[in-house]
Amino acid sequence: MSDVRHVLVLPDRDAAEEAVEALGERFGLAEEPQLVRDALAGEDDAEDAQWLVVLLDTEKRLDPRELDEFAGEWDGWREEP
């Protein structure tokens, strides 16, 4: 089993938390995605940070194109590995 991860980059914490909830409903994830704050260089305010949603996909069942569209619903994107 290989370690496949998808990273969605979202503009703020609210969007990231909403996306995590919706991910479980839409894609039926076995594990809850991990939320990670990605501070921009020189930014001290947590609201000025991007938020990453990290999905583990060991079974390779998530379609990257669907994840791209999904992240776009929150003005985000999927990072290419």
Side-chain angles (χ1 to χ4, degrees), residues 6-53:
H6 300 281
V7 177
L8 307 181
V9 181
L10 299 167
D12 57 47
R13 184 179 190 146
D14 289 339
E17 289 175 345
E18 289 175 22
V20 166
E21 270 188 51
L23 277 164
E25 293 170 10
R26 188 176 300 179
F27 296 102
L29 303 176
E31 290 185 38
E32 184 163 330
Q34 180 183 4
L35 275 178
V36 179
R37 178 179 176 263
D38 185 27
L40 303 174
E43 297 294 337
D44 293 329
D45 186 1
E47 297 305 315
D48 291 335
Q50 293 175 329
W51 284 79
L52 308 179
V53 177

Side-chain angles (χ1 to χ4, degrees), residues 59-78:
E59 297 176 11
K60 298 181 183 179
R61 61 180 199 84
L62 298 174
D63 182 346
R65 290 177 301 227
E66 286 183 34
L67 291 173
D68 285 335
E69 290 174 17
F70 178 85
E73 294 175 21
W74 282 272
D75 296 324
W77 65 91
R78 184 184 59 84

